[in-house]
Amino acid sequence: MPSSASSSRQNHAEQLIARLNSVETPPESKLQDLRNMKNQIIGSRTKKLDYLSLGAVPCIVSILSIVVASMHSGGGGDELLELIAIQAAAIIGSFACRLESGVEAVLEAGACAFLMILITHQNEKVVDAVARSLKWIYQSKLAPKFYFLEEKNMEFLLSLLNSKNENVSCLGANIITRSCQTRMEQQALSGAGVITKLASLLDGSLSQREASLESLSVVMKKNPEIITKFLGYQNGGAVNFLTELIKDKHPRTRLLACACLIVIRNSCTTYLQDSRIKTGLVQTLLELLEDPDQVGDDAPFVLSSLIADKEDLQMIAFECQVIEKLCNYLEAGPFQAKRLQGIFLALADMCSELECCRDRAFSLEALIYIKDALKHDSADVRTAACIFLRNLSRSVKNMSAGHFTNANITSPMVQLLCDSCPSVQIAALGAICNMVIDFTARESIFMQGGLKQLVQLSKSMVSAIRVNAIWALRNLAFLVNNRCKEEILLELTMPTLTSLICDPETSVQEQALALVRNLVDGPSDSVKYVFDEAGLLLDAIGKKLHSTVKIEVLIQGMYVLSNIASGNEIEKEAAMNQLFPQCWNNTQTSFIKFLQSTDSRLRIAAVWALVNLTFPNSPGACRRVIKLLNAGIISQLKTMVNDPCLDVKLRARVALAQSMVFSDA
Amino acid sequence: MPVRVVETSSPSQVSGTTPGNNTPPPCTLLSVGQGFSGTQNVSSLQKDEAWRVNVQIQGIDHDHGYLCGTMEALNVPMADTPVVTFWEGEIVDTKNYTFFTGKWGATTEDDIKHWTKFQSFSPLLSKVEVDGGKTLDLSNYPFIFMRWKEQYFVNVGTDCGLTIAGFYYVCFSCSDGSINGFYYDPNSSPFQKLELKSTNDGRSGFSFSTYELQ
């Protein structure tokens, strides 16, 4: 019966562990049991999990501790003990091999400390088994941090790198890859001669070469000084060799060589300018995408690191038809989540800056793949799809053509606003921020489904969600008709909007003010939206303008009041009262400070406010000009007629000319 | 913001120039959301005709010399409704684009002929004739020169009897936000003039909306 067979296996395993734990079991039997366990678990995830659940790891680590104790008491040379050590180390390595729960158990049981001692054992076979075991541990993200900055640790690391044993030298490189995180650590490693050592390992065996490539990338990352050292190694021979490695016959070597070259190029943009190398990198990474294993999973991420934020590389990749190839892969799917995530992120990077790339992606019906991915089980895939969509929606041309609306992608996006994973919510908000902009002056499709959600999220405790939600509302309010503005205000409410203007985060304040700016723009009766019964909103805007130092907040606040000042006489006076409140003597000074700002964007916003306040044929313009004169504003304007910013100069002249009409009178 | 790919042999797109600060400065009257209205003269030998036109700026990217928007033509005889087109523009900034078009069937002679119809262009003519104006410093010039090319019809079919095969040479005045343009299409009447003024929605002043793409 199956059940009794499995319980029989369970019993067998329990008995095996019990024998290993027992002091009465003779060493020869323990060796046999260890061999049995090793043979069962190697290549069998199920068996590993079974033994893990029965507490096998602490048992094995306990055996290792006995071997170490024996070493310390001069018991080296005991052949049986050495054979036991070899088997125990192999078992630990097997548990740690690509099994997170195995790595956790191994670390929790304290295996690392014993293994680090045993790696100096006199028996090469013990050393080799231990090195393999530690290599698996250090290939996991859970590996313990190795502190390079402690002198004896650095000496130990160098001894590993200098070892003639391939597994030991690889272990040294793996430790660097996993543990080197700070600039100080990079410098310490470089100072200890690690770069030279790693460069020499490039010429070693396949595993040494690959381990060395990975750790070189980590040590050189964003460190031009160390990169220069590497580039000088063997008079440039090392980097030439690296360039050749992107054509190596082993896929993982090619991938790691690409990654290393990209690290160099990203930190030292003067190097590797040759377009043939750039093209070679793109083409190699495209080929590697076809690898069915981890290399294929990692390839799109490496491609992203090559092209992210770099238009020239994106153009080269575009000409290599990267977009076509990535979309073809999506068509050919399905893939594991990691590969799918990588492909979407690479497409997102491709479409981040260039319209030609977005056009190509649209023509290949990328929106269909995105729509499917929005429902994927993996949060990482959903996030990546949203990031791709956000970058695609930077295309004003395609948004204006209604491609997003036509693809019925709005509804799934709105649903993601309620996603259980905050990173998905934030990524969805990023895309929605762009998609809500409706240039057609029809009611945005988001008004029906998304408005409620966006308003809800604008009250989130998470500031990243709050700022993105209010950002989306700002964009939603761009050029909308009055009915939509009323709906937005009804849902958001004036008190909430007022509190957002006073939010602890200045980025939220900025977006909230920009929202108000849009609400009061448009047909002349739009200005009414800022006037609530108690005038609280307007007061909040005025107070914010006179209290904040954040330039972006000032600019939006100034535009709100400037837009209001383009309204009727009552509205102009209301703006005037906020810009120059009677009770505050220092507000006159602060308006002059705005006009004197080193940021031309603030100067221009302030001058526009003056243009509007002194607009000809306004009944109260004369009174306002006198007030401006008394506040020293007109004198300040006179100094701006030759402002270095053309826009400021031209508007200052207009405001001055308008003011002079009244002052002459 | 987007950038249009142009053919690599196109002389209108400058490559290899040292990035400096000689490009036209941003102007608030030519920013997103800004509207313009006026007329386009579509006269031919047979008859005098003008369409009322409204233009709205929808996107602008100074780094790439790009802008885009819509153009709405009213009282078009063959159409029941106003005809709206989406256009993309190249800002002549000497960095991304020069005064030489290099495509759309326009020769350098055509370029000079059209640019010289703008009074504001005369001080620039001599340098433009040499190399399309690559070395000009436009950072303080109170006019912005552009080419606008309509890309598609927004609200009518391509069988509406209208053409968007040509493009406009455009001059924008930073001082008052007025726009003048000349339509170029080898198959249409030459020098059809576009004249627009900045609109302000009936306000006593100027109002500015905003969006920001992520």
Side-chain angles (χ1 to χ4, degrees):
Chain A
M1 293 281 294
S3 59
S4 65
S6 69
S7 64
S8 162
R9 278 199 299 275
Q10 180 106 339
N11 283 339
H12 175 74
E14 282 171 351
Q15 284 164 10
L16 192 154
I17 291 172
R19 285 195 302 274
L20 284 172
N21 276 327
S22 170
V23 296
E24 289 170 11
T25 308
E28 296 79 3
S29 301
K30 286 197 179 184
L31 178 62
Q32 190 54 47
D33 280 333
L34 286 170
R35 283 196 176 115
N36 282 340
M37 188 192 292
K38 186 194 79 177
N39 292 339
Q40 286 178 55
I41 66 173
I42 282 185
S44 170
R45 186 185 164 88
T46 315
K47 282 280 165 57
K48 286 183 198 180
L49 291 171
D50 285 344
Y51 271 102
L52 279 175
S53 68
L54 292 171
V57 170
C59 163
I60 305 298
V61 173
S62 167
I63 291 172
L64 280 177
S65 70
I66 294 168
V67 177
V68 167
S70 165
M71 247 177 89
H72 284 155
S73 62
D78 182 333
E79 200 178 312
L80 187 54
L81 212 52
E82 287 169 1
L83 289 170
I84 285 173
I86 290 168
Q87 295 303 313
I91 290 170
I92 293 291
S94 184
F95 277 125
C97 174
R98 300 191 187 117
L99 185 68
E100 202 171 284
S101 52
V103 175
E104 277 172 3
V106 159
L107 294 176
E108 209 177 327
C112 267
F114 297 119
L115 291 171
M116 287 294 195
I117 294 169
L118 284 171
I119 203 153
T120 58
H121 200 280
Q122 62 195 29
N123 183 317
E124 261 310 305
K125 289 183 179 167
V126 171
V127 167
D128 198 65
V130 166
R132 285 172 194 268
S133 181
L134 281 168
K135 262 175 59 180
W136 283 120
I137 293 171
Y138 273 94
Q139 279 177 22
S140 163
K141 288 186 171 62
L142 300 172
K145 168 102 179 141
F146 189 87
Y147 294 95
F148 305 109
L149 300 177
E150 291 172 26
E151 196 182 322
K152 61 179 174 56
N153 281 355
M154 187 65 84
E155 282 169 11
F156 176 71
L157 178 70
L158 287 171
S159 71
L160 296 179
L161 287 172
N162 284 324
S163 170
K164 290 188 172 43
N165 183 304
E166 183 182 314
N167 285 315
V168 174
S169 58
C170 285
L171 170 64
N174 288 347
I175 288 173
I176 292 170
T177 301
R178 195 53 61 203
S179 294
C180 177
Q181 287 157 346
T182 67
R183 196 176 173 83
M184 210 182 297
E185 286 167 336
Q186 287 177 326
Q187 298 299 128
L189 286 165
S190 172
V194 161
I195 296 292
T196 311
K197 190 62 217 170
L198 290 174
S200 71
L201 287 178
L202 288 176
D203 221 4
S205 67
L206 175 62
S207 49
Q208 283 174 324
R209 183 173 311 142
E210 290 182 355
S212 165
L213 283 168
E214 265 199 287
S215 53
L216 276 168
S217 290
V218 165
V219 181
M220 291 197 289
K221 191 172 180 179
K222 294 185 185 170
N223 196 314
E225 190 190 316
I226 295 181
I227 288 173
T228 306
K229 205 179 231 184
F230 175 76
L231 292 172
Y233 181 69
Q234 289 180 342
N235 294 318
V239 71
N240 289 340
F241 186 58
L242 204 57
T243 314
E244 289 303 310
L245 285 178
I246 70 172
K247 295 175 241 170
D248 191 86
K249 62 181 180 185
H250 298 100
R252 186 164 158 74
T253 303
R254 294 202 296 278
L255 182 75
L256 294 171
C258 286
C260 203
L261 283 170
I262 291 167
V263 159
I264 292 172
R265 198 186 177 275
N266 285 351
S267 302
C268 290
T269 50
T270 49
Y271 290 103
L272 300 175
Q273 283 298 322
D274 189 333
S275 59
R276 284 171 304 174
I277 296 179
K278 293 183 208 176
T279 306
L281 282 168
V282 170
Q283 287 171 339
T284 303
L285 290 168
L286 274 181
E287 282 166 37
L288 289 170
L289 271 171
E290 301 194 31
D291 186 280
D293 297 322
Q294 195 181 341
V295 168
D297 291 347
D298 291 339
F301 293 94
V302 178
L303 179 61
S304 278
S305 71
L306 175 63
I307 61 176
D309 303 321
K310 293 185 245 15
E311 280 188 36
D312 59 331
L313 268 306
Q314 288 163 21
M315 184 53 83
I316 289 175
F318 173 76
E319 286 161 0
C320 292
Q321 301 190 307
V322 162
I323 302 207
E324 285 83 347
K325 287 180 178 144
L326 291 174
C327 286
N328 284 343
Y329 282 126
L330 290 176
E331 175 74 27
F335 294 114
Q336 293 291 336
K338 180 157 185 225
R339 188 177 297 221
L340 201 51
Q341 178 199 12
I343 291 175
F344 276 121
L345 289 176
L347 280 165
D349 282 317
M350 278 300 297
C351 296
S352 59
E353 310 283 341
L354 299 177
E355 181 66 5
C356 58
C357 294
R358 296 176 198 131
D359 266 348
R360 188 63 56 82
F362 274 110
S363 70
L364 295 166
E365 300 192 291
L367 289 179
I368 295 177
Y369 306 121
I370 292 174
K371 204 169 148 199
D372 288 340
L374 296 178
K375 294 175 289 199
H376 200 279
D377 289 337
S378 159
D380 287 338
V381 170
R382 297 198 299 279
T383 302
C386 287
I387 294 172
F388 180 28
L389 184 60
R390 179 200 68 190
N391 290 2
L392 273 181
S393 61
R394 291 174 180 170
S395 171
V396 175
K397 182 175 88 169
N398 282 288
M399 279 219 289
S400 202
H403 287 156
F404 293 91
T405 325
N406 295 343
N408 296 319
I409 210 158
T410 315
S411 181
M413 285 304 296
V414 170
Q415 282 176 26
L416 285 186
L417 292 178
C418 302
D419 197 279
S420 55
C421 180
S423 69
V424 178
Q425 278 184 305
I426 291 170
L429 274 168
I432 288 172
C433 269
N434 297 350
M435 291 165 64
V436 293
I437 303 170
D438 189 332
F439 296 105
T440 62
R442 289 194 299 269
E443 181 171 305
S444 166
I445 204 160
F446 280 93
M447 290 295 295
Q448 285 135 34
L451 176 60
K452 258 189 172 37
Q453 307 275 44
L454 290 174
V455 169
Q456 194 54 38
L457 291 172
S458 71
K459 301 170 198 169
S460 168
M461 297 297 291
V462 179
S463 62
I465 291 178
R466 208 161 64 249
V467 74
N468 279 291
I470 190 75
W471 189 335
L473 288 171
R474 165 221 188 145
N475 284 354
L476 182 63
F478 174 73
L479 295 186
V480 289
N481 58 38
N482 281 359
R483 193 169 71 79
C484 289
K485 290 180 185 177
E486 282 159 12
E487 272 188 59
I488 291 171
L489 276 171
L490 196 63
E491 192 64 46
L492 186 60
T493 75
M494 288 289 231
T496 302
L497 184 51
T498 307
S499 75
L500 286 168
I501 287 168
C502 306
D503 193 275
E505 296 286 333
T506 54
S507 49
V508 174
Q509 295 170 16
E510 177 196 344
Q511 297 300 337
L513 285 166
L515 167 58
V516 179
R517 174 179 167 180
N518 283 346
L519 289 173
V520 299
D521 174 68
S524 50
D525 64 344
S526 299
V527 182
K528 68 188 180 202
Y529 293 118
V530 81
F531 292 99
D532 57 354
E533 278 183 17
L536 292 174
L537 181 63
L538 209 52
D539 280 347
I541 294 168
K543 282 199 176 94
K544 183 53 60 182
L545 197 64
H546 294 296
S547 61
T548 189
V549 294
K550 188 88 168 112
I551 195 80
E552 280 76 17
V553 176
L554 282 169
I555 290 167
Q556 295 305 334
M558 185 60 71
Y559 270 115
V560 171
L561 294 176
S562 173
N563 285 0
I564 292 170
S566 70
N568 60 33
E569 189 54 33
I570 295 173
E571 288 151 0
K572 285 182 193 298
E573 279 302 307
M576 188 76 183
N577 289 339
Q578 292 300 333
L579 288 167
F580 302 95
Q582 298 287 351
C583 53
W584 293 7
N585 290 327
N586 63 350
T587 55
Q588 292 150 345
T589 320
S590 82
F591 196 91
I592 289 189
K593 279 196 183 134
F594 301 148
L595 291 172
Q596 292 172 339
S597 169
T598 52
D599 193 317
S600 62
R601 297 173 300 163
L602 180 56
R603 294 201 308 278
I604 186 64
V607 173
W608 273 120
L610 295 175
V611 166
N612 290 339
L613 289 169
T614 59
F615 204 73
N617 304 325
S618 306
C622 182
R623 189 176 59 248
R624 286 190 288 276
V625 168
I626 293 169
K627 199 168 173 182
L628 293 173
L629 196 64
N630 293 338
I633 302 299
I634 306 297
S635 305
Q636 174 60 32
L637 265 181
K638 285 179 182 169
T639 70
M640 296 173 79
V641 294
N642 288 311
D643 193 282
C645 172
L646 179 67
D647 207 11
V648 174
K649 178 165 81 177
L650 293 172
R651 300 325 141 205
R653 290 181 183 185
V654 168
L656 197 60
Q658 286 174 178
S659 305
M660 287 290 109
V661 167
F662 297 104
S663 53
D664 287 348
Chain B
M1 278 298 289
V3 65
R4 287 288 291 172
V5 169
V6 291
E7 294 81 6
T8 50
S9 58
S10 162
S12 78
Q13 190 163 25
V14 179
S15 61
T17 53
T18 316
N21 205 11
N22 297 338
T23 58
C27 177
T28 31
L29 289 176
L30 189 68
S31 55
V32 297
Q34 288 305 293
F36 305 84
S37 65
T39 56
Q40 175 165 344
N41 163 283
V42 291
S43 300
S44 61
L45 290 173
Q46 285 80 36
K47 57 179 173 180
D48 260 337
E49 200 178 340
W51 299 342
R52 289 198 332 270
V53 172
N54 295 321
V55 164
Q56 188 182 69
I57 309 296
Q58 292 185 348
I60 191 159
D61 174 10
H62 291 281
D63 285 341
H64 294 104
Y66 172 92
L67 78 165
C68 64
T70 53
M71 196 179 284
E72 178 189 32
L74 297 110
N75 64 279
V76 176
M78 39 290 229
D80 301 326
T81 61
V83 175
V84 181
T85 55
F86 177 88
W87 55 268
E88 291 182 299
E90 300 175 343
I91 300 172
V92 177
D93 57 10
T94 71
K95 182 180 82 161
N96 294 289
Y97 302 102
T98 68
F99 284 93
F100 290 156
T101 307
K103 52 181 180 278
W104 302 330
T107 63
T108 52
E109 288 77 24
D110 292 321
D111 291 333
I112 299 290
K113 235 190 262 183
H114 283 81
W115 292 125
T116 48
K117 295 193 82 66
F118 301 113
Q119 241 184 334
S120 50
F121 178 76
S122 350
L124 313 177
L125 174 62
S126 53
K127 277 201 171 167
V128 171
E129 278 175 327
V130 171
D131 60 2
K134 264 186 230 180
T135 56
L136 278 170
D137 179 359
L138 298 173
S139 58
N140 236 328
Y141 206 62
F143 296 91
I144 297 177
F145 298 94
M146 298 172 273
R147 283 177 288 269
W148 290 1
K149 175 89 178 85
E150 289 163 293
Q151 298 298 325
Y152 55 81
F153 290 100
V154 173
N155 65 337
V156 297
T158 49
D159 55 353
C160 61
L162 300 169
T163 175
I164 54 171
F167 69 97
Y168 292 86
Y169 291 88
V170 176
C171 176
F172 167 85
S173 165
C174 301
S175 319
D176 62 5
S178 62
I179 291 178
N180 288 289
F182 292 97
Y183 188 65
Y184 173 78
D185 177 5
N187 298 320
S188 301
S189 307
F191 304 119
Q192 292 180 39
K193 192 167 184 196
L194 181 70
E195 290 173 282
L196 306 169
K197 290 203 181 327
S198 182
T199 57
N200 59 0
D201 274 324
R203 288 178 177 246
S204 300
F206 295 85
S207 174
F208 299 96
S209 54
T210 171
Y211 72 76
E212 187 182 357
L213 291 172
Q214 282 215 25

